[in-house]
Amino acid sequence: MHDSIGIPTCFSSSEKDTDDAPATFTRSGQNVFMSVYRTKLAGYCRLITITWCKNLLLHGLSVSVQGPDGDEEIYQCKVELKPWSFWRKQGSKQFTVDERTVDVVWDLRAAKFNGETEPRSNYYVALVCEEEVVLLLGDLKKDAYKRTRCRPSLIEPILVSRKEHVFGKKRFLTRVNFQEKGTKFHDISIECNTIVNNKDKSFDGFDLVLEIRVDGHIAILVKHLQWKFRGNECIHINEHKVEVYWDVHDWLFEFGSNPRHGLFIFKPVSSAPSLRPSPFSSFLTLTQFAEPEEENIDRNESSSKFCLFLYAWKVE
């Protein structure tokens, strides 16, 4: 159905991913959270991807910087946060982007993860280039500026997309803030249930139902999922319109020992009229519609540019 999904190898000692990396990490049940920002670094507007990984042994943090003009060349820095090496929870690391030094500085000593893959509070991760903090994550901003002794960048980074890989048997959870300047996080729950339907013999007399809940309330209910495994629907969250896409073909029709993933896309939409893809559009068209566009960093961006990609990996 889909192209292969390349899950970052945050815990690999090699800087290059192996060909079988996606299969290896899906089998390991590794949760992956990726946030993509657009800002100016080393003289060019670039996409910077911050990736948090977690498995049974350790946490991983990876920083990837795209080449100029959207080149495929990727500059990467990886940090392993092993539980028995507490000193690694505070540190710094350098890598080079177009012959310019970029410092990754972090302090996770008091970080509160609350059982999640990425920290909730009491931490910072800073990217520094040419004596400017070009990207700063976390709530300990004063501590970050004091430690780096660098000024904030004049260009504020823009969060353009978030990609999450989560594992479960039938229920998948995440939290998301759809407004770039807002502080309200919404709890999203996705669940696939089976009910008895003696009228439909196609799935041995069972009917599949997909529930998507926002803050505990049902936002989307898809019955007869075996016939409606791809689609889209518009919902309202705090008076904001959000377009939701789903593609769960592999959940139903792919068999084997490896986990199967469904894709869910949540995209805030502006009130201005725009062309929307058909619910029966191909997966490629759907993904292209939701991916961030390359635009001038100095333009005024709206929250509708943000997009959440949730890869829900079903394990037995």
Side-chain angles (χ1 to χ4, degrees), residues 3-149:
D3 295 335
S4 61
I5 303 298
I7 298 180
T9 55
C10 285
F11 310 124
S12 172
S13 59
S14 171
E15 290 300 312
K16 287 190 176 182
D17 299 344
T18 59
D19 293 337
D20 61 348
T24 300
F25 282 89
T26 54
R27 283 196 298 267
S28 70
Q30 174 176 297
N31 286 342
V32 180
F33 288 63
M34 306 168 63
S35 297
V36 182
Y37 296 86
R38 185 165 63 242
T39 190
K40 191 174 183 180
L41 186 149
Y44 292 93
C45 173
R46 305 172 189 264
L47 293 180
I48 301 176
T49 302
I50 307 296
T51 303
W52 297 90
C53 306
K54 180 183 179 182
N55 63 15
L56 295 176
L57 296 177
L58 45 79
H59 263 97
L61 168 63
S62 173
V63 179
S64 301
V65 179
Q66 189 183 52
D69 302 321
D71 292 348
E72 292 185 0
E73 185 176 8
I74 298 295
Y75 307 90
Q76 197 169 58
C77 176
K78 298 179 182 179
V79 179
E80 292 184 356
L81 307 173
K82 299 178 181 179
W84 56 85
S85 301
F86 292 102
W87 64 272
R88 295 292 289 168
K89 292 187 177 181
Q90 181 188 34
S92 62
K93 206 169 184 179
Q94 283 188 347
F95 65 112
T96 303
V97 176
D98 289 345
E99 300 182 353
R100 302 185 190 185
T101 300
V102 177
D103 291 280
V104 181
V105 184
W106 68 88
D107 189 346
L108 303 170
R109 292 173 299 174
K112 294 182 179 179
F113 286 87
N114 295 339
E116 297 187 1
T117 303
E118 65 175 352
R120 290 273 193 95
S121 61
N122 293 11
Y123 79 101
Y124 67 78
V125 176
L127 265 71
V128 180
C129 182
E130 299 179 309
E131 298 185 350
E132 282 190 348
V133 178
V134 296
L135 180 63
L136 178 57
L137 308 178
D139 54 341
L140 302 182
K141 299 185 184 300
K142 291 184 179 179
D143 294 348
Y145 287 122
K146 181 178 179 181
R147 183 178 172 195
T148 60
R149 299 180 180 179

Side-chain angles (χ1 to χ4, degrees), residues 58-252:
L58 45 79
H59 263 97
L61 168 63
S62 173
V63 179
S64 301
V65 179
Q66 189 183 52
D69 302 321
D71 292 348
E72 292 185 0
E73 185 176 8
I74 298 295
Y75 307 90
Q76 197 169 58
C77 176
K78 298 179 182 179
V79 179
E80 292 184 356
L81 307 173
K82 299 178 181 179
W84 56 85
S85 301
F86 292 102
W87 64 272
R88 295 292 289 168
K89 292 187 177 181
Q90 181 188 34
S92 62
K93 206 169 184 179
Q94 283 188 347
F95 65 112
T96 303
V97 176
D98 289 345
E99 300 182 353
R100 302 185 190 185
T101 300
V102 177
D103 291 280
V104 181
V105 184
W106 68 88
D107 189 346
L108 303 170
R109 292 173 299 174
K112 294 182 179 179
F113 286 87
N114 295 339
E116 297 187 1
T117 303
E118 65 175 352
R120 290 273 193 95
S121 61
N122 293 11
Y123 79 101
Y124 67 78
V125 176
L127 265 71
V128 180
C129 182
E130 299 179 309
E131 298 185 350
E132 282 190 348
V133 178
V134 296
L135 180 63
L136 178 57
L137 308 178
D139 54 341
L140 302 182
K141 299 185 184 300
K142 291 184 179 179
D143 294 348
Y145 287 122
K146 181 178 179 181
R147 183 178 172 195
T148 60
R149 299 180 180 179
C150 294
R151 62 183 182 275
S153 173
L154 297 178
I155 298 176
E156 186 173 355
I158 299 171
L159 177 62
V160 293
S161 71
R162 180 179 174 88
K163 300 180 182 181
E164 303 183 12
H165 296 261
V166 295
F167 289 75
K169 290 187 176 180
K170 57 180 292 186
R171 193 180 183 202
F172 306 90
L173 305 174
T174 188
R175 298 173 73 249
V176 62
N177 177 10
F178 288 107
Q179 301 300 314
E180 185 180 348
K181 300 297 183 181
T183 58
K184 171 65 175 177
F185 278 82
H186 299 279
D187 295 313
I188 295 178
S189 169
I190 298 172
E191 189 168 351
C192 183
N193 294 310
T194 303
I195 62 175
V196 177
N197 184 359
N198 294 324
K199 296 181 180 180
D200 190 346
K201 302 299 182 182
S202 59
F203 272 68
D204 298 325
F206 293 97
D207 192 14
L208 302 178
V209 178
L210 177 68
E211 288 185 1
I212 300 178
R213 295 175 178 264
V214 179
D215 296 329
H217 303 285
I218 294 181
I220 295 178
L221 181 65
V222 183
K223 298 181 180 180
H224 312 300
L225 186 63
Q226 59 270 34
W227 309 118
K228 303 175 183 177
F229 49 84
R230 292 189 185 109
N232 68 306
E233 190 171 322
C234 189
I235 63 176
H236 287 81
I237 301 178
N238 287 358
E239 301 181 355
H240 296 285
K241 293 176 63 177
V242 177
E243 196 77 25
V244 182
Y245 304 83
W246 66 89
D247 186 340
V248 295
H249 175 277
D250 283 6
W251 279 4
L252 308 179

Side-chain angles (χ1 to χ4, degrees), residues 284-307:
L284 179 60
T285 302
L286 185 153
T287 305
Q288 287 176 336
F289 173 82
E291 287 283 8
E293 298 176 358
E294 290 295 324
E295 296 181 355
N296 192 311
I297 191 66
D298 296 321
R299 290 186 56 179
N300 182 27
E301 301 286 348
S302 67
S303 61
S304 63
K305 295 298 181 184
F306 171 76
C307 197

